[in-house]
Amino acid sequence: MDRHTPMHALPEEIQKMLPEDKVCKYCGVSYLILHEFKAMEEKVKAMEKEMKFYQGSVEREKGLQEKIKSLSQDLEQYKIDNKSKTERIYDVGMQLKSQQNEFQKVKKQLSHLQDELKIKYRQSNIFRLCFCL
């Protein structure tokens, strides 16, 4: 649709006229229909722009809601994984502690056996000395 752009603005006296003075008293059609049509076009443009903004907002909100849902699911899974790993760490820690205790016992036994070996070795040397004489 081609738009007609007026060359000159309406005179100020006409612009200040009351709306009822601008319409035909017989049929109700505006004398300044072109001017009003132009104003309506501008309003429609503004409303279309606003609708696009809101339509985009709705789509963005929908996308964000989906992202929130996905992130919430991920968070729940991370919580479950974290709990499982925490329990595993605790179990491994307890096993380590048990192994350390066992190691200390074996270390003490080894020390005791080494001491006994030294004593037996000394006794054997004494026995040999006695036997050789």
Side-chain angles (χ1 to χ4, degrees), residues 121-133:
Y121 182 73
R122 285 187 206 139
Q123 287 176 350
S124 112
N125 281 343
I126 292 172
F127 181 69
R128 280 187 209 150
L129 281 174
C130 289
F131 186 68
C132 289
L133 289 173

Side-chain angles (χ1 to χ4, degrees), residues 58-117:
V58 168
E59 290 169 2
R60 285 189 301 274
E61 182 179 351
K62 190 175 183 180
L64 289 172
Q65 290 291 344
E66 289 174 8
K67 182 124 180 159
I68 287 171
K69 184 178 178 183
S70 173
L71 289 172
S72 292
Q73 290 172 346
D74 290 349
L75 178 62
E76 289 305 313
Q77 187 60 46
Y78 291 143
K79 285 179 181 179
I80 291 167
D81 292 347
N82 186 39
K83 183 178 180 186
S84 172
K85 288 177 182 176
T86 301
E87 289 171 356
R88 179 75 179 125
I89 289 170
Y90 176 79
D91 290 344
V92 168
M94 293 305 287
Q95 289 175 358
L96 177 62
K97 197 171 197 175
S98 174
Q99 293 290 330
Q100 286 173 333
N101 290 339
E102 188 65 30
F103 177 74
Q104 291 300 323
K105 287 178 188 176
V106 169
K107 192 174 172 183
K108 284 180 184 178
Q109 286 178 349
L110 177 63
S111 177
H112 180 70
L113 290 173
Q114 285 174 335
D115 290 344
E116 281 185 28
L117 182 62

